[in-house]
Amino acid sequence: MSLFQNKTFLITGASRGIGKAIALKLAAAGANIAIAAKSVQENPKLGGTIFSAAEEIEKAGGKALPVHCDIRMEEMIQDAVAQTVSAFGGIDGVINNASAISLTNTEDTESKRFDLMHDINVRGTFLVTKHCLPHLLRSKNAHILTLSPPVDLQPKWLGAHIAYTLSKYNMTMMAMGWAEEFKQDGISSNSLWPVTTIATAAVNNLLGGEYLMQRSRKPDILADAVFHILQQGPGKLTGRQLLDEVILGEAGVTDFSPYAVNPGGSLQKDLFL
């Protein structure tokens, strides 16, 4: 029997992109997936809703619960957690994937954009984890995994887009804090970040269009990295700021070429690396 059979994972922002890729990988191993995301009507530029993602997850072999959840709203988080526990009996892992981005300098960062990034990336991540915690404490192998970069205080990352950098580093610091806070409880907490850009709607629409998409890797590389991380026993892998290539290398992967959108082409390093 798979280690993920009948295990339950709440994934924020899982209606598309990296979150959905992770959900499909876990579902194929028999996991239950709560899709906590805002998308209930499809945006042609982004694609996918919680309902279309749920259909794909079910077809992949798992059980899916689409939950309309804006993680800026604490009551929606509480409802998403309650629905997940009612449907599946508990929560074994939370994957903090939802995030907002604006690569603007100080002068060009509007207050509403600053607030959005901190409401989603920082406050939302904190509250999702907080409300999942009572159920994680009852799991035999609980994981908190946060999609955020290693903290690197090189001035170039702080100077280029300070508001976004602050929000993402805060996510990582929370992941490290939870590893320490819950180490006696056997809850593992790590952050995870890609070495290269990943072919998602955000990259296509906001960062670099088709040119950058062709220099990116598929979301599958992060899904495979998450799959390996979540297989580790209680407290065996915790408190680390992980990169996808590094953790997959530890799992024995030596050839990363199948993950490239354009096999053999040049790859673009992601931010913070």
Side-chain angles (χ1 to χ4, degrees):
M1 178 182 291
S2 165
L3 290 173
F4 297 109
Q5 193 73 38
N6 299 321
K7 299 298 182 184
T8 299
F9 299 91
L10 186 149
I11 308 176
T12 62
S15 58
R16 64 178 68 91
I18 292 168
K20 189 178 76 170
I22 293 169
L24 291 172
K25 181 74 177 183
L26 295 172
N32 308 318
I33 306 295
I35 309 155
K38 293 189 300 180
S39 300
V40 294
Q41 293 185 329
E42 184 164 355
N43 181 329
K45 290 185 178 180
L46 300 175
T49 67
I50 57 174
F51 306 112
S52 61
E55 289 182 8
E56 291 185 58
I57 289 166
E58 296 274 354
K59 288 179 181 178
K63 295 179 181 178
L65 176 70
V67 185
H68 181 213
C69 182
D70 182 339
I71 65 171
R72 293 174 293 176
M73 309 297 177
E74 187 171 16
E75 63 275 13
M76 294 187 79
I77 295 171
Q78 291 171 302
D79 181 62
V81 171
Q83 286 191 52
T84 302
V85 173
S86 176
F88 302 127
I91 297 175
D92 299 286
V94 57
I95 299 172
N96 293 306
N97 168 69
S99 189
I101 182 172
S102 180
L103 299 181
T104 47
N105 61 25
T106 298
E107 185 176 11
D108 295 332
T109 302
E110 298 177 348
S111 58
K112 66 178 182 180
R113 184 60 58 178
F114 182 97
D115 291 345
L116 177 69
M117 288 189 284
H118 284 75
D119 281 349
I120 293 174
N121 302 357
V122 186
R123 182 178 183 272
T125 294
F126 180 87
L127 290 176
V128 168
T129 304
K130 168 186 167 70
H131 289 296
C132 287
L133 180 59
H135 309 288
L136 295 173
L137 287 167
R138 288 193 281 270
S139 172
K140 293 181 179 179
N141 187 18
H143 285 263
I144 302 165
L145 187 59
T146 301
L147 276 292
S148 58
V151 175
D152 183 346
L153 298 182
Q154 288 188 70
K156 66 177 181 178
W157 299 126
L158 298 167
H161 32 68
I162 183 63
Y164 177 66
T165 299
L166 280 176
S167 71
K168 295 305 290 188
Y169 283 1
N170 269 290
M171 292 174 71
T172 302
M173 287 190 289
M174 288 190 292
M176 297 304 97
W178 290 323
E180 180 67 18
E181 182 177 359
F182 306 129
K183 66 182 180 180
Q184 301 303 322
D185 301 303
I187 298 177
S188 299
S189 177
N190 298 281
S191 65
L192 175 66
W193 196 246
V195 168
T196 73
T197 53
I198 301 296
T200 63
V203 166
N204 189 43
N205 297 331
L206 300 175
L207 300 183
E210 185 60 25
Y211 172 78
L212 190 53
M213 292 286 278
Q214 290 300 316
R215 295 168 64 89
S216 299
R217 284 176 173 156
K218 304 169 190 174
D220 297 7
I221 189 169
L222 284 168
D224 288 353
V226 171
F227 193 80
H228 175 70
I229 293 165
L230 298 182
Q231 289 184 72
Q232 308 310 305
K236 290 187 176 180
L237 176 60
T238 190
R240 290 181 60 185
Q241 299 175 41
L242 299 166
L243 297 173
D244 55 0
E245 281 188 13
V246 173
I247 192 62
L248 286 173
E250 291 178 10
V253 177
T254 56
D255 180 10
F256 297 99
S257 60
Y259 294 115
V261 170
N262 180 23
S266 299
L267 292 169
Q268 175 63 50
K269 290 283 187 181
D270 209 318
L271 295 170
F272 309 110
L273 297 176

